[in-house]
Amino acid sequence: MHAVDMRRRRFAAAAAATIAAIAGATGARRSFAAPGVYTVVIDGFAFKPAELTVARGDTVVWRNDDPVPHTATAKGVFDSGSIAAGASWKYVAKKPGRYPYVCTFHPIMKGTLVVR
Amino acid sequence: MKPLQLAAIAVLAATSLAVQAQGAGPTDPQIAAIVVTANQVDIDAGKLAEARSHNKDVREFGKMMVTDHTGVNKAAVALVTKLHVKPEDNPTAESLKKGGEENIAHLKTLKGHAFDTAYIDHEVTYHEAVIDAIDKTLIPSAQNAELKALLVKVRPAFVAHLDRAKELQAKLGKM
């Protein structure tokens, strides 16, 4: 094998390793990243999206776009109380888990918050 | 079936028939009047239930009817005001109003469990009939896209109410 070819190969391998390292670091950094804000829109008597997955420390905002009040209530975990038409309510996700919730006024409305 | 339930069904059946007889659905100003009247009728009945019932579930249901139908009406009035649609009285809105008044007059003669049962039975029939009218008459007839969108948006309110009314109906039936 020619010496130049050998160097190119080494360079290529090193470059690939560097890219992999950066990618790995980026992936790992996610857990240290600034907490995100996610919005669940309440529209037409439904939570949209019906299921949302967030990381611990992220903020979830429920925004009520309906003309009537609603709640987002996971008994024993979080309870917005009445969210007026056009209003919002915020919750910072704490404990990891899978939390089904309802609107206590209209229990036909169901959603799930997953905290990783 | 009780006479009042029959009357309520007759009103809504008459709605469809009247609409068909005209050869076309109600106009947007007529739809606006129907929506506002339908909500108002249920607000009035809800207020009576809140004041008269001794059953916590029934009172809470009445309160929800007042809150939700007031909210829907506010949204409807805001929209028709914005669209410069002036609600126009029509036979359907008239008969809804009359049916509502008859219902309240009847409920006022009742007490206790009889009141609760009559109120909730009427709520079941009423919401079924309104959903039917929304699906078969109001949404298909609405010309303005925003008015149509509002009807689509508030339809689930009536479904949620019907669901809860049926639950209460079953519960009251066992008492």
Side-chain angles (χ1 to χ4, degrees):
Chain A
M1 194 181 280
H2 203 275
V4 175
D5 270 357
M6 198 63 190
R7 277 204 301 275
R8 275 191 190 144
R9 280 193 175 201
R10 278 195 192 129
F11 177 76
T18 307
I19 289 165
I22 291 169
T26 309
R29 211 171 58 214
R30 249 201 77 70
S31 52
F32 301 110
V37 178
Y38 296 84
T39 302
V40 176
V41 177
I42 308 174
D43 175 39
F45 280 59
F47 297 108
K48 299 174 183 177
E51 182 168 330
L52 175 68
T53 302
V54 302
R56 204 159 55 164
D58 285 344
T59 298
V60 184
V61 177
W62 277 268
R63 193 183 79 212
N64 183 7
D65 279 4
D66 267 348
V68 309
H70 291 297
T71 81
T73 309
K75 223 177 164 195
V77 186
F78 58 84
D79 182 8
S80 66
S82 182
I83 310 172
S88 295
W89 180 72
K90 264 189 238 182
Y91 171 71
V92 178
K94 293 177 192 100
K95 216 175 140 217
R98 186 182 171 82
Y99 306 113
Y101 64 89
V102 296
C103 164
T104 54
F105 300 150
H106 316 101
I108 198 173
M109 297 167 60
K110 293 178 171 70
T112 305
L113 177 67
V114 179
V115 182
R116 281 187 285 115
Chain B
M1 193 173 284
K2 295 183 190 93
L4 256 158
Q5 282 172 273
L6 280 172
I9 291 165
V11 166
L12 269 299
T15 306
S16 305
L17 288 176
V19 164
Q20 280 161 16
Q22 285 165 8
T27 62
D28 285 359
Q30 288 173 336
I31 291 173
I34 292 167
V35 169
V36 170
T37 309
N39 281 304
Q40 191 56 51
V41 160
D42 213 37
I43 291 168
D44 294 342
K47 280 182 180 162
L48 187 69
E50 258 190 288
R52 291 226 173 176
S53 178
H54 295 291
N55 180 307
K56 189 170 166 277
D57 289 338
V58 173
R59 280 201 310 273
E60 277 177 2
F61 181 84
K63 186 169 178 243
M64 179 168 80
M65 293 308 104
V66 175
T67 307
D68 285 1
H69 289 289
T70 301
V72 170
N73 248 2
K74 259 173 85 176
V77 169
L79 178 65
V80 299
T81 305
K82 187 189 115 182
L83 298 175
H84 302 294
V85 170
K86 192 172 174 289
E88 181 193 302
D89 219 351
N90 58 85
T92 304
E94 285 271 319
S95 54
L96 273 171
K97 192 167 170 236
K98 194 160 168 277
E101 283 165 358
E102 283 167 6
N103 178 41
I104 287 192
H106 174 64
L107 289 176
K108 279 184 173 167
T109 66
L110 304 171
K111 277 181 189 160
H113 189 68
F115 174 92
D116 294 341
T117 310
Y119 169 63
I120 294 296
D121 282 352
H122 186 269
E123 288 299 296
V124 169
T125 317
Y126 169 84
H127 282 89
E128 276 172 347
V130 171
I131 292 165
D132 196 61
I134 289 176
D135 290 344
K136 292 185 183 148
T137 310
L138 303 182
I139 290 176
S141 304
Q143 292 300 305
N144 182 282
E146 284 183 82
L147 180 63
K148 201 187 275 276
L150 179 80
L151 292 166
V152 170
K153 195 178 170 76
V154 302
R155 183 188 185 277
F158 292 91
V159 176
H161 294 171
L162 175 60
D163 203 60
R164 181 67 185 138
K166 279 184 172 171
E167 258 177 44
L168 287 180
Q169 192 176 45
K171 217 167 152 180
L172 288 168
K174 285 177 200 146
M175 286 168 78

